[in-house]
Amino acid sequence: SPPVNALGLAVRKGIVDGIAQAEKAGAKALVLAGDGVTFPAGADIAEFATGGHRTQPTLGEVIERLDKASMPTVAAMHGTALGGGLEVALACHWRVMSKAAKCGLPEVHLGLLPGAGGTQRLPRLIGCAPAIKIMTSGAPLGAAEAAKLGLADEVVAAVDGEGVAEAAVGFAEALADGVDP
């Protein structure tokens, strides 16, 4: 749902359905990319007022499905990946990030902590101290800092979604060919 690709029901269903289609087709890898100006920027806050965030598949179920995909998954991150958007990227096995992208867990500014696995996945990936700083500050990280921490596996010059997705496809093809990017 461009422009921000909020993780509303249609986007959540699209991700789960896309994984199922890729598995049925025997794909060797899957790239998850956002249409428009950004990777999923976060939860659809409007759904919290209506209870729609509890409609299946929930964000937690989407993330579990990504985590259990039968093939390597690569997040093609451009624009912003905040809150639930970063949690989706963390559920992917690899992350390719635009040099202009930002990511973070700003939920603390709403009096919340990440609710879809970010409190577990982020420390496992980058260590407890930097993960706690990210979760408690709510400040976004740029791509260079994300790469330095090990949150981004590759940073690319492309800033548009199409360019980042193309780079992520190349990364995924290398994985499928058994090359460790």
Side-chain angles (χ1 to χ4, degrees), residues 26-136:
K28 293 181 181 178
L30 176 96
V31 172
L32 180 62
D35 193 19
V37 298
T38 189
F39 190 77
D44 185 346
I45 301 300
E47 284 191 343
F48 287 96
T50 65
H53 66 289
R54 291 190 285 268
T55 303
Q56 293 182 334
T58 64
L59 182 55
E61 291 167 341
V62 169
I63 287 171
E64 182 178 337
R65 185 66 181 91
L66 271 167
D67 194 42
K68 293 181 178 179
S70 63
M71 69 205 63
T73 55
V74 179
M77 300 166 65
H78 74 292
T80 55
L82 301 171
L86 179 55
E87 290 180 294
V88 166
L90 288 168
C92 291
H93 303 109
W94 304 89
R95 285 152 300 283
V96 173
M97 195 169 180
S98 161
K99 70 177 182 178
K102 298 210 180 288
C103 63
L105 297 168
E107 292 92 326
V108 70
H109 295 296
L110 300 174
L112 303 169
L113 287 174
T119 56
Q120 293 82 38
R121 284 185 174 84
L122 188 60
R124 287 181 197 148
L125 184 63
I126 67 170
C128 288
I132 289 170
K133 182 178 178 184
I134 291 167
M135 286 184 271
T136 59

